[in-house]
């Protein structure tokens, strides 16, 4: 009970409104390897390392919930795939080590992984279409080739927060900027409590296509403003989606010692696609909820990690869900190069 009321306080502190539906739940990490079924379908290995959940080199365009036999997420009905680039520390001698992930504030039991949010619009009224069941809807947020401000940073799609202490939290609604608590590039200073990446997906859909060649043009961010400011969807993409957001917490604590940082004063972290700016952070999504479960949850006004329209499993059970690693290469320990780079 204490846990639930803590969650309530946490979510309200992040600026959500009472009439909104906000699912916020953990998903353990299932595998860390070079596979990207969205951007490089069928390519094993993919060009850079991702960490993810319920996985194969090619995810068929079909009902993902009917081919997965388990989920590492706390909601039993969620067989979706969520994945992001990994973070590495680059030592002075040029070798790399993967930065581990830790559960988010208020969450316990996950093994690494991420916190996933599905949020309805901030007006508390606009109805959303919770993607399309049974058909394999998928989309991408961010651009792995981005190396400067611009692109999706306009919609706060990629943000980093430098935690001054473990379990640091705080408001989540301020726009990311280099003068805000959330930066748009990798933090330039050591983060004693770890580092958070937030990835926000497009919230408007063309209503027709389940995917597009670049995995982004069938969806859109608001025509003006942001999802948080109540920005309207463009006429080309009139269907309102719930906002999907990932939060990944990187445990940078074993890399805080500035004596192991680059001598030129630059920050030492690099995303798995060779990006030391952070602007190229990206997230991938393949919808995999059972039937209408997500739509029912979005309609039910649920809040946090419990929902009358859904059932939950303990992380002790979720963490038994495993897929074999299919890319035979080392991704942990000190590496002489980033895998695939
Ligand atoms: C799920 O299926 C995979 C592949 O068929 C199998 O290796 C794994 O043991 C199954 N997991 C569970 C929890 O049944
Ligand atoms: C490179 O640097 C790291 C971190 O300082 C150290 O742990 C590792 O042993 C070094 N590797 C080599 C080959 O010197």
């Amino acid at each position: 009970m204490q846990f639930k009321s803590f969650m309530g306080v946490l979510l309200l502190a992040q600026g959500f409104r009472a009439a909104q539906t906000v699912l916020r739940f953990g998903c353990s990490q299932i595998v860390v390897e070079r596979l990207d079924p969205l951007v490089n379908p069928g390519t094993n290995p993919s060009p850079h390392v991702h960490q993810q959940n319920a996985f194969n080199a090619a995810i068929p365009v079909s009902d993902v919930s009917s081919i997965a036999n388990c989920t590492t997420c706390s909601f039993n009905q969620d067989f979706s795939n969520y994945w992001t680039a990994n973070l590495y520390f680059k030592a002075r001698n040029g070798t790399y080590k993967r930065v581990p992930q830790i559960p988010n504030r208020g969450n316990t039991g996950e093994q690494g992984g991420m916190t996933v949010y599905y949020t309805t619009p901030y007006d508390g009224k606009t109805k959303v279409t919770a993607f399309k069941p049974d058909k394999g809807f998928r989309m991408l947020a961010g651009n792995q080739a981005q190396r400067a401000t611009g692109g999706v940073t306009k919609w706060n799609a990629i943000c980093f927060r430098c935690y001054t202490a473990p379990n640091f939290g705080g408001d989540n609604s301020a726009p990311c900027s280099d003068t805000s608590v959330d930066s748009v590039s990798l933090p330039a200073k050591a983060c004693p409590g770890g580092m958070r990446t937030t990835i926000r997906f497009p919230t408007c859909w063309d209503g027709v296509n389940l995917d597009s060649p670049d995995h982004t043009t069938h969806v859109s961010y608001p025509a003006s403003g942001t999802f948080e400011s109540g920005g309207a969807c463009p006429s080309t993409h009139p269907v309102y989606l719930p906002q999907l957001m990932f939060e990944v917490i990187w445990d940078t604590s074993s890399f805080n010692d500035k004596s192991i940082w680059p001598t030129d004063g630059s920050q030492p972290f690099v995303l798995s696609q060779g990006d030391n700016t952070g602007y190229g952070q990206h997230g991938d999504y393949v919808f995999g909820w059972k039937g209408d479960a997500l739509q029912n949850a979005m309609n039910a006004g649920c809040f946090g990690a419990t929902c009358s329209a859904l059932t939950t499993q303990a992380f002790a059970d979720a963490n038994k869900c495993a897929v074999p690693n299919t890319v035979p290469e080392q991704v942990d320990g000190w590496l002489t190069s980033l895998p695939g780079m």
Side-chain angles (χ1 to χ4, degrees), residues 89-97 255 259-261 334-336:
F89 171 79
K90 186 179 184 185
R92 280 189 182 178
N93 61 21
T95 63
Y96 298 88
K97 192 169 193 184
F255 309 106
S259 73
I260 61 171
W261 281 36
W334 291 101
L335 308 174
T336 52

Side-chain angles (χ1 to χ4, degrees), residues 143-164:
N143 176 355
Q144 58 106 357
Q146 187 86 22
R147 292 293 181 274
T149 191
V152 296
T153 61
K154 179 175 160 190
W155 295 283
N156 298 318
I158 305 296
C159 305
F160 294 94
R161 182 171 293 182
C162 191
Y163 284 3
T164 51

Side-chain angles (χ1 to χ4, degrees), residues 121-196:
Y122 279 70
D123 65 7
K125 296 194 294 269
T126 303
K127 296 284 177 243
V128 294
T129 297
F131 311 100
K132 273 283 169 233
D134 311 333
K135 295 283 186 340
F137 177 93
R138 52 200 69 198
M139 62 179 167
L140 176 67
N143 176 355
Q144 58 106 357
Q146 187 86 22
R147 292 293 181 274
T149 191
V152 296
T153 61
K154 179 175 160 190
W155 295 283
N156 298 318
I158 305 296
C159 305
F160 294 94
R161 182 171 293 182
C162 191
Y163 284 3
T164 51
N167 291 326
F168 181 90
D171 199 301
N172 207 357
S173 56
C176 318
S177 78
D178 290 332
T179 54
S180 131
V181 61
D182 288 299
S183 58
V184 290
S185 52
L186 280 162
K189 56 178 195 268
C191 303
M195 193 196 294
R196 183 179 83 184

